[in-house]
Amino acid sequence: MRALLLVCLSAGCLAQRPKPCSSPPLMTGSLSVSTQNEKLGAFAKYTYDALGQRIRLREFGSYDNKTFHLDVLLLYRKGVMYKISYRNHTCYKKRLNRDFHPLAIPKDASLVGQVVLGSSSGPGQGVLVNTWTGQLQMRNKTARYMSTVTEFGCVPVTTLFHSTRAGWMVTSFFNNVIGLSDPQQLIPPSFCKDAKLEKKEGEDPATFYSLF
């Protein structure tokens, strides 16, 4: 009887072991990002649509000791990025030479652990999260990552991503809302209609949108 009970308890524990997951396909919220080499520090409001492969980022921060403001709309299916300025009513188009990567924990990720952020002393005082780690193959090189998501809903909390150029990049998500608060954020403004494709190729200062 004791052996049977032990087997049942063991099976129950295994069934509750966290598994890699995908974040909600539609989200709105805010995030911050900073790099180990201290060149980049920024805050942004984001609108995320994994179904249509669209992301809107309105951000401000500093890069290499210079402040910047950036409003970009990333349309991955069209391979286009719009740089938008409502103040000047200007819009620029650039090629988006990146594949869309939905917010998710890869299936081959390894579980680091499960903890409660805040307190587990009473209901509503903490959030149960899982931390995962692994490696990603990106353009003939391997990158390391460590991601923390909520146990229920797989909502992103923090992501650490290592690149040879910037070292560790830390992205923290907050004020997340499931769904699109304003779907119009994912549609180019009317003054972008006649925007011409820029021929100049260059890296934007806030490259953390490549994490999506």
Side-chain angles (χ1 to χ4, degrees), residues 2-197:
R2 290 183 178 178
L4 179 61
L5 179 60
L6 180 60
V7 171
C8 292
L9 290 174
S10 299
C13 292
L14 290 175
Q16 295 175 8
R17 181 178 176 82
K19 297 180 179 180
C21 57
S22 296
S23 298
L26 303 175
M27 288 197 304
T28 306
S30 301
L31 55 82
S32 65
V33 63
S34 60
T35 54
Q36 184 180 4
N37 61 15
E38 299 182 351
K39 281 191 174 183
L40 172 65
F43 291 89
K45 291 185 177 180
Y46 75 88
T47 303
Y48 168 80
D49 172 20
L51 302 178
Q53 297 187 5
R54 302 176 297 175
I55 299 173
R56 179 72 175 269
L57 288 168
R58 292 170 294 156
E59 57 186 289
F60 68 91
S62 63
Y63 178 75
D64 204 11
N65 293 323
K66 297 180 181 179
T67 59
F68 69 88
H69 295 268
L70 196 61
D71 186 346
V72 293
L73 174 60
L74 312 173
L75 304 178
Y76 286 86
R77 286 183 177 174
K78 294 184 178 181
V80 172
M81 176 180 73
Y82 287 94
K83 297 172 67 175
I84 302 166
S85 173
Y86 278 96
R87 175 181 296 180
N88 301 321
H89 269 66
T90 57
C91 188
Y92 300 94
K93 288 171 64 177
K94 293 184 65 176
R95 286 189 177 87
L96 185 60
N97 299 318
R98 288 185 173 89
D99 295 327
F100 179 81
H101 296 285
L103 289 170
I105 301 299
K107 293 182 179 180
D108 60 352
S110 300
L111 180 67
V112 176
Q114 184 179 79
V115 299
V116 175
L117 297 180
S119 173
S120 59
S121 300
Q125 296 181 2
V127 178
L128 186 64
V129 300
N130 302 318
T131 298
W132 302 84
T133 188
Q135 295 183 337
L136 293 174
Q137 193 65 33
M138 300 180 64
R139 296 185 179 182
N140 300 321
K141 60 183 179 180
T142 302
R144 291 177 289 165
Y145 70 88
M146 182 177 293
S147 294
T148 298
V149 297
T150 60
E151 164 67 12
F152 304 106
C154 199
V155 177
V157 179
T158 59
T159 296
L160 281 79
F161 190 83
H162 186 271
S163 66
T164 54
R165 187 181 66 174
W168 284 102
M169 179 181 295
V170 182
T171 304
S172 299
F173 296 81
F174 54 96
N175 294 336
N176 299 303
V177 176
I178 307 304
L180 302 180
S181 300
D182 183 7
Q184 292 295 320
Q185 291 291 326
L186 297 172
I187 299 175
S190 58
F191 54 83
C192 289
K193 182 179 179 180
D194 299 324
K196 296 182 179 180
L197 195 65

